[in-house]
Amino acid sequence: MRIGELAERAGISTRALRHYESLGLLPARRAGNGYRDYDEADLRLLRQIRTLQDFGFGLEDTRPFVECLRAGHPSGDSCPASLEVYRRKLAELDECIERLAQVRAEVSAQLADAQRARAALEAEADVPGGPPPRCELTPCDAGDPGRS
C-alpha cells in the first residue's frame, strides 16, 4: 500500500509516517516506481506506536516494541527490552502519582488555612465595631458609588 492509504488506515498524517521513517521506526521500502511501499505488518507497527503514545510513551520508548514485532513476535511487548520499558514507565508514573499526591496535600492544607482565615474574618465582622466584610472578587462593592 502507498503512504496515503497507510496514513488513512492508521489514522495519522503522512508527515508523521515520514518522521517515523526518519527515526528508523518504520521501514523505508520503495516499490519499483519509487513510491513508498507498506504492508499489513507496517500497519501493525504503527498501531503499536500509536497505542504506546496514547499511554504517554515517547517515540524512542516505542523502539523496543517495534523491534520485537519486526523480529516476528506476535506482540510488541513479548520481548525483554519491551518489558523493561514498561517497568521504567511504571516507575515514572509512580513518581508522578507521588508528586501529585504531595501537591494535592499541600493544596488541601492551603484551602483549609484559607477557610479558617475566612471564617475568622466573618466572625470579626459579626462583632460590633469589627471590620466590614470585603471581597475583591465578587461585586460586594456594587453599591459603593466611588467604585467603578
Side-chain angles (χ1 to χ4, degrees):
M1 80 185 84
R2 292 183 37 192
I3 193 169
E5 181 182 351
L6 180 64
E8 184 177 327
R9 289 184 62 192
I12 60 176
S13 69
T14 57
R15 183 175 180 209
L17 291 178
R18 289 186 194 97
H19 180 63
Y20 296 166
E21 185 180 296
S22 73
L23 295 174
L25 294 171
L26 189 64
R29 290 185 309 273
R30 299 278 179 166
N33 60 6
Y35 292 122
R36 288 175 172 86
D37 186 39
Y38 301 100
D39 59 22
E40 293 298 318
D42 298 321
L43 181 59
R44 201 169 88 188
L45 289 175
L46 289 172
R47 287 184 175 148
Q48 176 77 75
I49 291 168
R50 297 297 296 177
T51 297
L52 291 168
Q53 284 190 303
D54 288 347
F55 293 159
F57 288 73
L59 279 177
E60 274 309 308
D61 291 331
T62 69
R63 189 173 301 282
F65 297 86
V66 168
E67 290 171 357
C68 192
L69 285 171
R70 280 192 189 153
H73 293 273
S75 69
D77 57 7
S78 59
C79 295
S82 301
L83 298 176
E84 184 54 37
V85 172
Y86 276 147
R87 286 184 194 98
R88 245 187 357 256
K89 188 63 169 178
L90 281 174
E92 179 185 312
L93 289 170
D94 288 342
E95 288 176 23
C96 287
I97 290 168
E98 184 178 320
R99 178 66 186 131
L100 284 172
Q102 291 170 354
V103 169
R104 187 188 189 292
E106 291 172 14
V107 170
S108 180
Q110 285 295 115
L111 174 61
D113 289 346
Q115 287 174 326
R116 280 190 295 277
R118 171 94 178 148
L121 285 175
E122 287 175 354
E124 282 181 27
D126 289 340
V127 173
R134 256 182 96 77
C135 182
E136 299 292 326
L137 300 176
T138 60
C140 294
D141 300 317
D144 184 353
R147 309 275 290 175
S148 36

